[in-house]
Amino acid sequence: MKHLLSEEGQLLYLHGIDGSYVKELDVQVLGYQDGGYILDRTIMHYQGGGQPGDRGVLVSGNKAIPIYNVRKKGKNVVHLSTVKSDIHGGRLILDWERRYKIMKMHTLQHAISAVIFKDGFNSVTTEVFPGYGYIESDSQRIKISSDGYTINRIPRPLKRYSVKRDSIDHKLLARCNLDKLPKSIDEVSIVEIEGLDVCACAGTHLRNTSEIGEYWLRAPSKRIEFGLF
Ligand SMILES: [Zn+2]
């Protein structure tokens, strides 16, 4: 779970649920430092909150500069690339196939966390990759109810909206540990899966749970593992 920091107006993937579906964007290059490009805005998710950083390419004139990861360094979102070039702008193109898999995995993680929370299990650590993910609970052994295996069968729309921190309904957000939010954050990004889950998160998500497709799920211990077929 990653939480919205209000500094991040330039992170277009946080703009409503549709923001995660923007695959290309014209950008200005503000500079190259810490091994990558600083842009005026981006569609690329930076690594953190249990979700990997995006990959893609920055196209400028006849140059195609590969971006192999995105990291937050200080206040900057750095689009990491070993190719340093003196460019001032270009078109940022996401590795969409990879990102879409991550969106499926991350949305699935929200849904599984919501299902197990109903049975009293907290998701302490979560991590997803393009086709695999895990949740670690504070229980020795997790029992997953049948709802955990039918998440993709029930189409549920997702939505994203911001709320002021001091107006948050803590009962509604019981599954998420808002104490982890830095004190400086006064506006929080909420992601809701209709009829299933409400959580503070600044990751990327699907529009509907029906997009997850076929998945597998197992809970051999306190760790739940899941993935896409
Ligand atoms: Zn999320």
Side-chain angles (χ1 to χ4, degrees):
M1 286 163 283
K2 192 166 64 169
H3 305 290
L4 173 68
L5 307 141
S6 40
E7 66 22 275
E8 295 172 3
Q10 310 94 321
L11 303 181
L12 298 199
Y13 59 83
L14 293 177
H15 291 197
I17 211 73
D18 289 339
S20 295
Y21 286 78
V22 183
K23 303 173 186 72
E24 295 187 17
L25 181 73
D26 287 326
V27 294
Q28 288 177 17
V29 175
L30 306 180
Y32 182 97
Q33 65 181 71
D34 298 322
Y37 294 89
I38 318 291
L39 309 177
D40 64 330
R41 54 186 191 152
T42 192
I43 48 176
M44 289 190 171
H45 178 268
Y46 66 81
Q47 185 180 330
Q51 205 187 306
D54 279 322
R55 294 178 189 165
V57 65
L58 177 58
V59 178
S60 182
N62 59 0
K63 292 176 184 157
I65 298 164
I67 308 293
Y68 69 87
N69 195 4
V70 185
R71 298 294 296 265
K72 185 89 184 282
K73 299 198 177 183
K75 287 191 169 178
N76 290 328
V77 174
V78 184
H79 299 72
L80 296 169
S81 180
T82 53
V83 181
K84 186 180 176 184
S85 181
D86 184 25
I87 54 169
H88 301 288
R91 188 141 181 98
L92 188 63
I93 303 170
L94 197 58
D95 179 344
W96 172 250
E97 199 178 323
R98 179 175 178 276
R99 154 69 93 68
Y100 192 48
K101 279 186 193 161
I102 295 169
M103 283 160 59
K104 289 180 181 185
M105 289 300 300
H106 182 68
T107 304
L108 183 58
Q109 178 261 303
H110 273 248
I112 296 168
S113 288
V115 167
I116 63 171
F117 184 72
K118 280 185 194 158
D119 293 323
F121 301 109
N122 294 309
S123 299
V124 178
T125 306
T126 68
E127 196 80 44
V128 300
F129 305 94
Y132 168 82
Y134 67 84
I135 297 167
E136 279 185 353
S137 161
D138 48 6
S139 256
Q140 278 315 304
R141 190 165 181 92
I142 304 171
K143 199 171 176 319
I144 304 172
S145 70
S146 57
D147 289 348
Y149 297 91
T150 55
I151 288 161
N152 57 348
R153 303 263 183 269
I154 303 159
R156 296 181 190 274
L158 281 87
K159 59 183 173 182
R160 182 202 283 284
Y161 49 90
S162 298
V163 295
K164 291 276 176 209
R165 185 179 188 138
D166 50 15
S167 66
I168 283 176
D169 179 347
H170 285 263
K171 253 193 219 155
L172 197 65
L173 285 169
R175 182 173 84 68
C176 304
N177 185 1
L178 291 176
D179 296 338
K180 284 185 184 168
L181 276 175
K183 296 273 179 280
S184 57
I185 295 173
D186 59 359
E187 198 155 322
V188 181
S189 177
I190 306 294
V191 175
E192 192 171 330
I193 306 178
E194 192 177 274
L196 183 65
D197 189 39
V198 185
C199 192
C201 188
T204 59
H205 308 84
L206 298 172
R207 291 182 175 121
N208 196 295
T209 52
S210 62
E211 292 176 52
I212 293 169
E214 296 302 313
Y215 68 94
W216 58 268
L217 171 64
R218 62 189 212 110
S221 61
K222 63 192 281 186
R223 182 176 169 121
I224 295 182
E225 297 177 326
F226 51 100
L228 304 174
F229 280 118

